[in-house]
Amino acid sequence: DRGEDGERDEGADPDDDYFYLQRRLPDGRINVQSRFRALAHARLMRARKIAFTGLDAEGTWQLRGPLNVGGRVTDVIGDPANASKFYVGAASGGVWKTTDAGATFTPIFDGQGSLGTGALAIDPHNSDILYVGTGESNPGAGSTTYPGDGVWKTRDGGATWQNLGLDPTLAIGRIVVDPQNSNNVFVAAVGSLYARTVDRGVYRSQDAGLTWTKVLFVSDIAGAIDLAIDPVDPRRVFAATWERMRDR
């Protein structure tokens, strides 16, 4: 749809490219030469900063992977007692585990339920206990998302899994575990992205996921997207809700 200069060809439908729509100027085009100049200027400023401060690799970002997750990363959760061990959840690529600070990753959720992952949570007292909320909860317009099949749990770092229910929620935005009582688990459920449903809101378990009770419901088009527990007083739980409906 674009000519040799990177500009969109005349007559092309602008609605077929969300990436392009985000970056175009008011006249409907992207100034490619201006982008090249901006990138060159950014590289120059970075080089000047390194020369002036003597910065080295310490403190800079490094790509760790995993690279073949089938889209985007939705959540990362680390072992509070072991900085080399963490888990990565992918929007449509399952759950990945590293025990060497990202040098290598192993997929640990393949063959279970939906590979669409919305949220991860570690038991603060046992990092081998991991909760997975399936179904991505924050897809952008035009992006592909897959419904989940509830909450899953492993007690052995991903070797075996158990489904804990909440299948009708379809998309889960956050899972949090009470830092003082691992039996108390909260789930923020967005629900279906395309239809009205009562399976939205915040769910609580007081038996580490064996049973669930809905403790917050706003409406059949407003789901819960995020949660936070007060670390000083875990009885205080904050929830963010999102009125979200997609038509395509």
Side-chain angles (χ1 to χ4, degrees), residues 189-201 214 217-225 241-246:
V190 178
S192 172
L193 300 175
Y194 300 93
R196 291 178 177 270
T197 173
V198 297
D199 299 303
R200 304 178 187 269
K214 188 188 297 183
F217 176 74
V218 176
S219 76
D220 61 0
I221 61 172
I225 191 69
T241 60
W242 187 18
E243 189 173 288
R244 178 63 163 154
M245 287 282 289
R246 291 182 62 173

Side-chain angles (χ1 to χ4, degrees), residues 152-209:
W152 291 74
K153 179 181 180 179
T154 179
R155 296 178 176 83
D156 49 23
T160 60
W161 293 91
Q162 175 188 7
N163 184 272
L164 302 180
L166 296 184
D167 302 41
T169 59
L170 298 183
I172 292 174
R174 185 73 65 196
I175 302 175
V176 292
V177 182
D178 186 334
Q180 296 182 14
N181 183 352
S182 296
N183 286 322
N184 293 331
V185 183
F186 294 84
V187 170
V190 178
S192 172
L193 300 175
Y194 300 93
R196 291 178 177 270
T197 173
V198 297
D199 299 303
R200 304 178 187 269
V202 177
Y203 292 81
R204 179 183 66 194
S205 175
Q206 295 178 296
D207 50 20

